[in-house]
Amino acid sequence: LLRAGKLVAVPTETVYGLAADATQAEAVERIYAAKDRPEQKPLNVLVDGMDMVETICREVPPLAHRLAETFWPGPLTMILWGRGTLPPVVNGGGDTQGVRCPAQKETLELLRTLGRPLAAPSANLSGQPSPKTAQAVLEGLDGRIVAVLDGGRCDLGVESTILDLAVSPPRILRQG
């Protein structure tokens, strides 16, 4: 479904994400439409590790590798300089890209099988609470997505911490 450009909700350890193949501009545009989200608001992407990060980000600092070794997979999103390999709609036309490796086995397996990053903001309508169960996703986005990968209830229930590594010194943008 993801390879075909469809939207699929996926579990993470924090909340469910609304996923699309981040390399397909039309698929990513469907996320904005399904969520009623402003298109200038960038999307973070899920990755399976730092090798995938290196394909979509440039000038990755050693600190990012150390943080990944310590906190990934897990609820840490790092903002890095984009390489320009993803469609501009993913990062709202900006120069940076948020990346995160989720600590949820089914979603990690999906990422490894797909071999591409997933654009994946929370699976809810903009301004609504982030869903912690597959049922909550279906209640909020019924008819707007084609499938939900049910990984059970999300353990943490709050979004990831976002750390901007594209500035010096690094800055926490959101505490998760």
Side-chain angles (χ1 to χ4, degrees), residues 25-130:
E26 288 181 10
V28 174
E29 289 168 0
R30 288 185 187 99
I31 289 176
Y32 287 98
K35 287 180 60 73
D36 293 329
R37 180 182 174 114
E39 285 196 20
Q40 65 274 17
K41 193 171 179 184
L43 301 176
N44 293 330
V45 297
L46 299 179
V47 297
D48 66 359
M50 288 304 288
D51 286 345
M52 190 176 284
V53 168
E54 293 283 354
T55 68
I56 60 174
C57 296
R58 61 183 166 84
E59 301 170 25
V60 178
L63 176 59
H65 289 274
R66 289 194 306 274
L67 289 167
E69 287 174 17
T70 303
F71 297 107
W72 279 6
L76 173 66
T77 298
M78 294 186 280
I79 305 296
L80 301 166
W81 291 107
R83 188 177 285 283
T85 55
L86 295 179
V89 68
V90 176
N91 61 10
D95 294 327
T96 58
Q97 182 61 63
V99 292
R100 171 165 118 72
C101 181
Q104 210 288 339
K105 69 177 187 167
E106 290 88 355
T107 301
L108 269 175
E109 185 177 325
L110 177 64
L111 281 159
R112 290 179 180 134
T113 300
L114 185 64
R116 300 179 204 153
L118 293 172
S122 56
N124 59 314
L125 293 174
S126 287
Q128 297 298 310
S130 298

